[in-house]
Amino acid sequence: MEIKIVKNKIRKGLRWGAIDMLSNKFIAIISSVILTRLLLPSDFGVYAIAMSVVSMANVFTFTGLHGAYIQKRNTDENDLNVIWTIEFFKCIILLFFVFNSSSLVGILMSNNDVVPIIKIISFIFPLQGLQNIGILVLRKELDIKLQFIFNVIPQILTSVLSIVLAFYLKNVWAIVYSFMLGAIVKLLLSYIIHPYKPKFSFDRDRLKELFKFGKWLFLGSIINFVRRQGIILVIGGIWGVVILGYYNRASALSINLFTSIQKLFPQIAFPAFSSIQESPNVVRSVFLQTIKITGLLSTTIISIAFVLSKDMILVLFGYAWIEILIYLKYLLIISLLEIIVAPFKSVLNAMCIPRANTNVGFVNVFLVVCGIFIGIFFDSINYLFYSVIIANIISIIIYIFVSGNILKTAVREIIISFLPAILAGSVLISVGYWVNSILVGFDLYYVTGRLVMLIGMGVGIIYAFDILFGMGIRSMIGFSHQNNSESDNAENVT
């Protein structure tokens, strides 16, 4: 694929990806605010346990075949049919397993309320297994516009129904029923959006070829589960569903909110890097620009959220939820570190070196597990957060050296790419706390004043750094037709 075509697809992908991210998160925030005021912390805690079981089942049966299809250079319909067949039968087995293990989960978590919820939610698996595999083609071809439609319509219907049901039911079942409706709508929509009609296929040689790459993604998914969903199970089992409910609401304003930024990398960066994997010089140039832009944008946004974290809780959830403030600050830091790591993972997968991600993941999960045991020993959840932050920092350091070696890039050059982010974060945090000391108060006037000042400063910093460091953010999102020097260099290499 020509570099110009790739660049154009990346630009379009970023635009629609940003629209997808912002619209989904706007809907999620609105529904989250309303549901938080209608339901109890224990409702969110029970739902979090049920969803962790579903996530665990998905993770430990994750095939990695979707990623293998995207990374593979030459693909055909037989690849799609093999993947769809394997995923379908896997989901049928998961339905049986999760449905029948619900009672055991209730015993282990000392909570019988979770049992019927798990039984109902287990039917999500056949709904997922029947989805049109043609949606995977959209990902490979970077058709983010249709993916946006595929994601946002079920999200809107799910959010509206959950709010309506919450007014009447006043319990966790409002979320459960709306979640299942969203899955049904997504299934139907997959066949409306893409014309492909999947067929059963058991081509052993084709499966073996795909799984050679996918097995490393499978191991990576297990590691990611232990780091994320495993923490939820530990919090619920050790500190109870109320603390888990607090954690769940803090996650809604942090990790869950910024997960969409991380998803842009497997959605856009991974297919883009895969399409130019045979031109390492181009990959290196695009990668350095990616981490520079990602670092600046994510640091700016999360720094503003960190400074205004108390305002966010009081305005969105109310004073009754002020207990989640410390959790929210920890999770915002973790969110930033995970976003920084995302482009490293994508480029290593695209260059067909997924094993490096797995090795780094093992180091990460070992540190997190150590933090869990320390937290249990001292009966303090803070140690758990400390371990996750330290693990992510160490992962970033390892990734810098590994990617530098693979892409033949000086470590110093990668570190310099983070300079705009470090400067932006330092300025925003310092000025943000100064603004908080001047505009003291939590009524609408003061909160709006702080928000407007910090957002204005954030936009100004991004604009200034885009010009100063030649990052090409304006041209990337379509506000300028001028190509930045790095993009031109990347194109000249080809």
Side-chain angles (χ1 to χ4, degrees), residues 36-37 39-41 242 246 249 313-325:
T36 300
R37 294 179 179 273
L39 304 179
L40 300 173
V242 174
Y246 288 149
R249 293 299 82 196
I313 296 170
L314 295 179
V315 172
L316 298 178
F317 292 165
Y319 190 80
W321 290 87
I322 197 63
E323 294 286 340
I324 73 173
L325 178 59

Side-chain angles (χ1 to χ4, degrees), residues 47-57 225 228-230 232-233:
Y47 182 70
I49 292 174
M51 291 307 298
S52 293
V53 173
V54 172
S55 297
M56 180 170 61
F225 169 80
R228 193 180 294 275
Q229 299 299 330
I232 293 176
L233 294 177

Side-chain angles (χ1 to χ4, degrees), residues 123-267:
F123 284 92
I124 190 70
F125 296 115
L127 295 176
Q128 291 175 342
L130 288 170
Q131 279 186 15
N132 187 359
I133 194 65
I135 297 298
L136 184 58
V137 179
L138 301 181
R139 285 188 59 196
K140 185 177 179 67
E141 296 177 351
L142 285 174
D143 193 339
I144 309 299
K145 181 178 180 179
L146 288 180
Q147 289 186 63
F148 163 73
I149 297 173
F150 179 67
N151 291 326
V152 76
I153 292 179
Q155 176 76 0
I156 293 174
L157 294 176
T158 299
S159 299
V160 171
L161 182 63
S162 64
I163 293 171
V164 172
L165 291 177
F167 273 108
Y168 290 98
L169 301 178
K170 305 291 185 182
N171 58 39
V172 67
W173 286 101
I175 309 177
V176 175
Y177 292 145
S178 60
F179 174 74
M180 296 304 297
L181 173 69
I184 295 172
V185 172
K186 209 161 191 176
L187 168 62
L188 299 175
L189 201 57
S190 68
Y191 288 91
I192 296 174
I193 287 178
H194 201 280
Y196 187 77
K197 297 296 184 291
K199 303 173 184 177
F200 287 107
S201 176
F202 297 93
D203 189 327
R204 184 178 299 179
D205 293 334
R206 193 64 61 91
L207 176 61
K208 185 178 180 180
E209 179 187 358
L210 291 168
F211 192 69
K212 185 181 296 184
F213 180 90
K215 65 183 178 182
W216 296 109
L217 301 184
F218 162 70
L219 291 174
S221 70
I222 294 178
I223 292 170
N224 185 61
F225 169 80
V226 174
R227 286 189 297 120
R228 193 180 294 275
Q229 299 299 330
I231 288 174
I232 293 176
L233 294 177
V234 169
I235 293 175
I238 302 299
W239 288 286
V241 292
V242 174
I243 297 298
L244 180 57
Y246 288 149
Y247 175 87
N248 179 271
R249 293 299 82 196
S251 296
L253 296 179
S254 53
I255 290 179
N256 294 349
L257 190 61
F258 296 109
T259 295
S260 294
I261 299 179
Q262 297 178 48
K263 288 182 178 179
L264 286 178
F265 292 98
Q267 265 189 332

Side-chain angles (χ1 to χ4, degrees), residues 250 253-255 257-258 298 301-310 312 325-339 389:
L253 296 179
S254 53
I255 290 179
L257 190 61
F258 296 109
S298 59
I301 296 171
I302 293 180
S303 295
I304 294 174
F306 188 88
V307 173
L308 298 177
S309 54
K310 190 173 183 178
M312 291 166 61
L325 178 59
I326 185 63
Y327 303 147
L328 177 56
K329 289 187 174 182
Y330 283 137
L331 291 175
L332 284 170
I333 296 173
I334 293 170
S335 298
L336 176 59
L337 296 174
E338 291 184 349
I339 292 172
I389 292 173

Side-chain angles (χ1 to χ4, degrees), residues 214-420:
K215 65 183 178 182
W216 296 109
L217 301 184
F218 162 70
L219 291 174
S221 70
I222 294 178
I223 292 170
N224 185 61
F225 169 80
V226 174
R227 286 189 297 120
R228 193 180 294 275
Q229 299 299 330
I231 288 174
I232 293 176
L233 294 177
V234 169
I235 293 175
I238 302 299
W239 288 286
V241 292
V242 174
I243 297 298
L244 180 57
Y246 288 149
Y247 175 87
N248 179 271
R249 293 299 82 196
S251 296
L253 296 179
S254 53
I255 290 179
N256 294 349
L257 190 61
F258 296 109
T259 295
S260 294
I261 299 179
Q262 297 178 48
K263 288 182 178 179
L264 286 178
F265 292 98
Q267 265 189 332
I268 300 174
F270 176 41
F273 286 141
S274 296
S275 66
I276 55 175
Q277 59 183 283
E278 295 178 356
S279 303
N281 290 334
V282 179
V283 174
R284 179 172 62 251
S285 179
V286 175
F287 169 70
L288 290 174
Q289 185 182 17
T290 299
I291 60 176
K292 188 185 295 183
I293 294 174
T294 302
L296 175 61
L297 295 179
S298 59
T299 301
T300 300
I301 296 171
I302 293 180
S303 295
I304 294 174
F306 188 88
V307 173
L308 298 177
S309 54
K310 190 173 183 178
D311 295 338
M312 291 166 61
I313 296 170
L314 295 179
V315 172
L316 298 178
F317 292 165
Y319 190 80
W321 290 87
I322 197 63
E323 294 286 340
I324 73 173
L325 178 59
I326 185 63
Y327 303 147
L328 177 56
K329 289 187 174 182
Y330 283 137
L331 291 175
L332 284 170
I333 296 173
I334 293 170
S335 298
L336 176 59
L337 296 174
E338 291 184 349
I339 292 172
I340 291 174
V341 164
F344 289 93
K345 292 182 178 180
S346 292
V347 75
L348 292 179
N349 283 337
M351 297 299 287
C352 206
I353 316 174
R355 184 173 184 174
N357 284 326
T358 303
N359 292 336
V360 176
F362 276 125
V363 175
N364 189 294
V365 77
F366 172 76
L367 295 173
V368 173
V369 170
C370 289
I372 289 174
F373 281 110
I374 295 173
I376 293 173
F377 180 80
F378 289 102
D379 193 24
S380 173
I381 195 174
N382 290 335
Y383 288 98
L384 188 151
F385 291 118
Y386 298 153
S387 68
V388 176
I389 292 173
I390 292 172
N392 281 321
I393 292 174
I394 292 176
S395 295
I396 291 173
I397 295 173
I398 296 174
Y399 271 123
I400 289 174
F401 284 95
V402 172
S403 60
N405 180 56
I406 292 173
L407 298 176
K408 308 301 180 184
T409 304
V411 170
R412 179 169 55 87
E413 191 174 2
I414 298 177
I415 294 176
I416 290 175
S417 297
F418 289 113
L419 181 61

